[in-house]
């Protein structure tokens, strides 16, 4: 079932014959042909017939977010009707996944009697909270923290939130991009290091004050303050810098705080000198952000990936950049780091000799990459089907080039 794309009808039939409810859940949508979808809809066993719809309903009741299309298909009603469904968990699911809902639907969700629905309706800054509803939402414990993150605040609303004594509310306010200079000034000496470090990234904070705030938090971290030790990944980024005039942005090239250089590297209109400096930045995340610009030089891309590998869960990957020298990919197979050797597998025409070499690696993630590769020889795939790591076996079985005879042998061995 790890195989991507359309499953052969014969394979679907064999899976259905097993009577496995968990397997039937995944026999849905584009995974199966139209004929097999009709076959499943007419299946005599309701556990098989209704496997996917029951799965969606269970996820909704557990508060797990699914796509709005899945909800419409499962409940057989348009999203406008689902937003007013009797079940509060279903209404919350709609609020959590239908992000471009119209204003009248949003207002209805903000006024919902169930706090879970109201909370879900305000999780994102879009579609947002109409001005006439801001006081009501900020007064509601179910929505207060969410709304304090992003809605423009009046002076009275700001004061009320800060007097709440709720640290989570204070943290949300500190990251609000619409704060005035006066509001920011009131946050600078907050007892919570997360509030201070978050507000340090605000546009209204000068460089000297920002450095002082960072130095204070660093001292607290050195003294063993647990809150201070957990801050680096939990503060609001200075995204406002992206929209600042170029002359202002350029003054942050020497900023000692990497978050500002990272935002700068995400811009696309910097002069060549700025790119040269960002390509040599001491922070790896900054260098990777700079390398994603459309005209990044081939040598910069290759050097970065060869030194540190690629980040495969962030798209587009650096190896997919139009300027990346893909003809050099197979040379990565000889690098010392296994994470860099893994990059070689992005060459769809990698020679069998190199695949054999990587298929003997100690790291399972490398063998998994070989098992998935479209150029892996049949003898190597057979060996990987008996690998000690079950995930390697799963990926080998999901390889699109696996012969039908081997598929049937696997199914027979599993008693399917």
């Amino acid at each position: 079932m790890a195989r991507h794309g359309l499953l052969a009808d014969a394979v679907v039939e064999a899976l259905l014959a097993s009577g496995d409810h968990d397997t039937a859940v995944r026999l849905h949508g584009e995974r199966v042909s139209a004929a097999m979808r009709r076959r499943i809809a007419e299946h005599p066993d309701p556990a098989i017939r209704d496997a996917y719809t029951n799965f969606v309903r269970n996820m909704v009741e557990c508060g797990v977010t699914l796509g709005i299309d899945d909800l419409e298909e499962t409940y057989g009603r348009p999203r406008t009707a689902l937003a007013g469904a009797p079940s509060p968990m279903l209404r919350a699911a709609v609020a959590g996944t239908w992000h471009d809902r119209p204003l009248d639907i949003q207002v209805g969700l903000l006024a919902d009697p169930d706090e879970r629905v109201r909370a879900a309706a305000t999780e994102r800054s879009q579609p947002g909270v109409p001005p006439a509803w801001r006081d009501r939402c900020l007064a509601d414990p179910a929505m207060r923290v969410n709304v304090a993150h992003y809605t423009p605040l009046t002076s009275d609303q700001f004061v009320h939130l800060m007097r709440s004594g709720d640290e989570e509310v204070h943290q949300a306010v500190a990251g609000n991009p619409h704060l005035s200079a006066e509001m920011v000034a009131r946050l600078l000496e907050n007892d919570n290091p997360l509030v201070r470090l978050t507000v340090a990234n605000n546009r209204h904070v000068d460089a000297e004050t920002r450095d002082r705030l960072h130095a204070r938090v660093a001292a607290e971290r050195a003294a063993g303050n647990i809150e201070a030790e957990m801050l680096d990944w939990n503060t609001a980024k200075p995204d406002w810098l992206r929209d600042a005039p170029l002359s202002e942005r350029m003054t942050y090239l020497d900023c000692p705080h990497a978050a500002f250089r990272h935002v700068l590297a995400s811009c696309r209109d910097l002069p060549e000198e700025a790119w040269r400096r960002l390509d040599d930045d001491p922070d790896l995340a900054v260098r990777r952000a700079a390398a994603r610009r459309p005209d990044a030089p081939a040598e910069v891309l290759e050097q970065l990936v060869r030194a540190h590998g690629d980040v495969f869960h962030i798209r587009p990957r650096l190896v997919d950049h139009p300027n990346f020298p893909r003809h050099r990919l197979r040379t990565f197979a000889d690098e010392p780091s296994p994470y860099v050797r893994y990059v070689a597998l992005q060459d769809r025409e990698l020679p069998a000799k190199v695949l054999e070499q990587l298929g003997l690696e100690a790291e399972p993630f490398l063998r998994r990459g070989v098992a998935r590769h479209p150029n892996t020889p049949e003898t190597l795939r057979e060996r990987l089907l008996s690998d000690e790591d079950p995930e390697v076996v799963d990926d080998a079985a999901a390889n699109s080039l696996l012969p039908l005879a081997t598929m049937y042998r696997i199914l027979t061995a599993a008693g399917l």
Side-chain angles (χ1 to χ4, degrees), residues 87-400:
S87 166
M89 294 305 294
L90 179 52
R91 299 196 303 274
V94 172
T97 192
W98 183 15
H99 304 310
D100 59 349
R101 54 189 178 270
L103 182 59
D104 62 323
I105 297 292
Q106 173 68 345
V107 167
L109 294 170
L110 295 177
D112 197 278
D114 193 285
E115 64 179 15
R116 294 166 295 186
V117 179
R118 301 196 303 277
T122 52
E123 282 181 354
R124 297 166 60 96
S125 59
Q126 294 298 327
V129 176
W133 279 78
R134 288 174 186 168
D135 280 334
R136 177 173 174 174
C137 292
L138 290 170
D140 186 338
M143 300 187 279
R144 181 185 297 129
V145 171
N146 288 344
V147 177
H149 271 292
Y150 55 75
T151 195
L153 302 173
T154 66
S155 295
D156 289 343
Q157 289 167 342
F158 173 81
V159 169
H160 180 73
L161 291 172
M162 297 311 296
R163 286 177 177 170
S164 70
D166 187 327
E167 287 197 355
E168 191 175 4
V169 170
H170 292 178
Q171 292 166 12
V173 171
N176 190 308
H178 304 291
L179 297 182
S180 66
E182 292 75 18
M183 295 173 185
V184 169
R186 292 192 57 172
L187 292 167
L188 296 178
E189 302 305 324
N190 192 282
D191 291 337
N192 189 322
L194 176 56
V195 171
R196 295 196 306 274
L197 205 58
T198 297
V199 82
N201 289 343
N202 193 281
R203 68 175 73 231
H204 296 301
V205 175
D206 60 67
E208 182 180 350
T209 302
R210 182 176 296 118
D211 292 345
R212 176 174 62 80
L213 292 170
H214 277 270
R216 180 179 171 184
V217 171
E220 292 172 335
R221 186 183 292 119
N225 184 309
I226 300 299
E227 285 183 321
E229 290 179 359
M230 300 176 64
L231 294 183
D232 289 340
W233 52 270
N234 200 27
T235 55
K237 301 297 184 289
D239 292 324
W240 56 267
L241 182 61
R242 196 173 289 111
D243 299 321
L246 178 60
S247 58
E248 180 182 355
R249 280 180 279 147
M250 291 295 289
T251 65
Y252 286 88
L253 268 176
D254 295 317
C255 181
H257 312 297
F260 287 83
R261 304 194 308 275
H262 190 276
V263 171
L264 194 61
S266 70
C267 300
R268 296 294 175 259
D269 59 344
L270 304 182
E272 188 57 36
E273 173 58 25
W275 290 125
R276 281 195 292 270
R277 292 171 63 180
L278 291 169
D279 286 336
D280 291 329
D281 194 275
D283 189 278
L284 176 58
V286 173
R287 299 200 298 278
R288 280 178 167 154
R292 296 184 187 282
R293 66 189 186 273
D295 58 346
E299 60 272 18
V300 168
L301 292 161
E302 180 180 356
Q303 181 181 13
L304 186 58
V305 176
R306 194 176 291 277
H308 303 285
D310 206 347
V311 182
F312 285 88
H313 65 278
I314 297 178
R315 302 300 176 95
R317 301 170 297 191
L318 293 180
V319 294
D320 294 328
H321 193 292
N323 295 346
F324 190 91
R326 293 188 67 86
H327 65 282
R328 302 272 295 160
L329 280 172
R330 61 191 60 183
T331 67
F332 285 64
D334 298 320
E335 292 293 332
S337 168
Y339 299 101
V340 179
R341 293 199 294 277
Y342 182 82
V343 175
L345 293 167
Q346 301 309 302
D347 182 347
R348 299 290 86 183
E349 298 179 357
L350 202 60
K353 180 180 179 180
V354 178
L355 288 163
E356 290 279 359
Q357 167 195 328
L358 296 175
L360 295 173
E361 294 278 4
E363 293 81 5
F365 74 88
L366 272 168
R367 303 199 304 278
R368 289 188 66 187
V370 173
R372 294 190 298 265
H373 200 278
N375 217 31
T376 298
E378 185 174 351
T379 53
L380 178 54
R381 283 199 306 272
E382 284 287 336
R383 190 175 81 223
L384 293 173
L385 283 170
S386 302
D387 194 273
E388 63 184 18
D389 189 292
E391 291 186 318
V392 175
V393 175
D394 285 347
D395 283 330
N399 192 302
S400 60

